[in-house]
Amino acid sequence: SRRCGLPAGRSYSGGGAYPKVSLTCPLPGVPKAVFAAAEGREQFETRVTVLENGLRVASQNKFGQFCTVGLLVNSGSRHEAKYLSGISHFLEKLAFSSTAQFASKDEILLTLEKHGGICDCQASRDTIMYAVSADAKGLDTVVNLLADVALQPRLSDEELEMTRAAIRFELEDLNMRPDPEPLLTEMIHAAAYRENTVGLNRFCPVENTDRIDRGVLHSYLRNYYTPDRMVLAGVGIEHEQLVECARKHLLGVEPAWGSGQTKDVDRSVAQYTGGIVKVEKDMSDVSLGPTPIPELTHIMIGLESCSFLEEDFIPFAVLNMMMGGGGSFSAGGPGKGMFTRLYLNVLNRHHWMYNATSYHHSYEDTGLLCIHASADPKQVREMVEIITREFILMAGAVGEVELERAKTQLKSMLMMNLEARPVIFEDVGRQVLATNTRKLPHELCALISQVKSTDIKRVVTKMLHKKPAVAALGDLTDLPSYEHIQAALSSKDGRLPRLYRLFR
């Protein structure tokens, strides 16, 4: 019988006759398929060009009709030490409003619509990012728009007033939402880096909403929105084309605030202090309804890790994956494939805990490894004891199977996230902004594979010598004192001091 081609029909259970078509041989008479392919290693690498004014242009090839292009600025809440807190929050809300070329946000959106485009702006502690995803044919329009939005905003009185209202609403919502994660993240940073750099408030305080005006914003922008602090990153476009557009729209442009010399640029290095931030709050009515969330007290404990520029960053990332965790819903443990330590050691053994999750925040000069836990207010003391014990156990033996699983999970998550074009764009932009180059995914995977159990033990031992940072939210009647939490993290078993337990 023939292995390829179209032989005589064959009967199937459905009654119809189908040809026996091989899945390993090409169909006869069909043109040979031509697949898109990157020729040579250089096609995979991120290309970077530095313009005469110091602006960096970075691009990454990715096949497809659409591209993601954006402007990243080395500016964020950590740079507001000499200014009113909340400027970055204002700039995030004011982004893609009226500019020198565009009369309103609607006009900007209509311009993008012609190229199937969408836009967004995100401000973090160390970066402000203006991004657009659109058809690659509209690249010139997109770069022109980004340059205008970042360097020529009008900042009209009406837009400023609308921004003030939006920020007040967001702050009110932040304190009412059932998920306390954003609030706790602010609190743990404030505790870990008291009144410096990444410990400064990311959200605009209510009292500053009326004090921030065009003059304040222009003063800040004059110092931080300079070409040498910017990266124009693009994914899905030709590098030469992006460089040409950058020269056309971003070279020699006079910003709306003038081109005076920078005076108040904050170059402070993060100083980890440790400490505690507590907010007493009635959490009994945060989620009413047919199935209300019970009243919970939330605790977050963190210790200083390292910067993402240090070699220890990869072992810390593996450690964070190994701790894992999540909410108590679906905390099925081995039966559901949840093998991280916070599931196995905490959520599966203590049914009264509603959440136990590990987080790793990393910056150019520091990092913070945290565990967030939630439980009934009456069990706060025991919850703190359990979490501090988990920190101590990090320095113990790490099983080979456990380590390999964490490394495989980390590599899998990395590769899966980098399937999305906007994620590749952000990765390219942030890495080039910080290091002028980019580590490719296969390089990171190789570094992850090299992590040994001795590396985990080494970084944990180093971390445990620091003072803890603690954030506590809710009914804190039974919360142990900061000194007791610090003593527990210094003990061999992570338990609170015996006298404290006896006299409670």
Side-chain angles (χ1 to χ4, degrees), residues 23 117 180 283 343 376:
L23 298 179
M283 306 285 283
Y343 270 120
D376 185 276

Side-chain angles (χ1 to χ4, degrees), residues 101-141:
Q101 292 182 43
F102 301 93
S104 66
K105 178 171 282 191
D106 288 341
E107 193 174 321
I108 287 175
L109 296 177
L110 285 170
T111 303
L112 286 175
E113 194 176 292
K114 294 173 186 175
H115 302 284
I118 56 172
C119 60
D120 187 29
C121 177
Q122 292 180 7
S124 62
R125 286 184 163 77
D126 52 4
T127 312
I128 292 181
M129 180 173 62
Y130 302 85
V132 172
S133 285
D135 192 305
K137 293 176 182 176
L139 179 64
D140 188 73
T141 302

Side-chain angles (χ1 to χ4, degrees), residues 78 125-126 188-194 196-200 267-274 302-314 316-317 359-370 434 462-463 466-467 469:
R78 70 169 294 163
R125 286 184 163 77
D126 52 4
I188 196 73
H189 278 82
Y193 306 92
R194 192 166 291 277
N196 78 88
T197 58
V198 293
L200 299 177
R267 305 187 190 279
S268 303
V269 175
Q271 302 295 317
Y272 180 84
T273 60
L303 291 166
E304 187 181 23
S305 57
C306 74
S307 139
F308 57 68
L309 299 176
E310 296 178 48
E311 290 183 1
D312 285 344
F313 172 68
I314 299 294
F316 269 116
Y359 296 94
H360 188 214
H361 305 278
S362 197
Y363 305 96
E364 198 171 341
D365 51 0
T366 187
L368 194 62
L369 184 77
C370 319
K462 179 180 171 185
M463 181 176 68
K466 304 288 178 70
K467 289 173 63 178

Side-chain angles (χ1 to χ4, degrees), residues 41 107 151 313 368 374 387 480:
R41 177 181 168 80
E107 193 174 321
L151 300 175
F313 172 68
L368 194 62
S374 308
I387 296 306

Side-chain angles (χ1 to χ4, degrees), residues 27 46 132 182 186 262 272 322 354 368-369 379 454 459 477 480:
L27 292 172
T46 300
V132 172
E186 287 305 300
T262 59
Y272 180 84
M322 193 169 73
Y354 280 79
L368 194 62
L369 184 77
Q379 292 170 301
T454 51
V459 297
T477 307

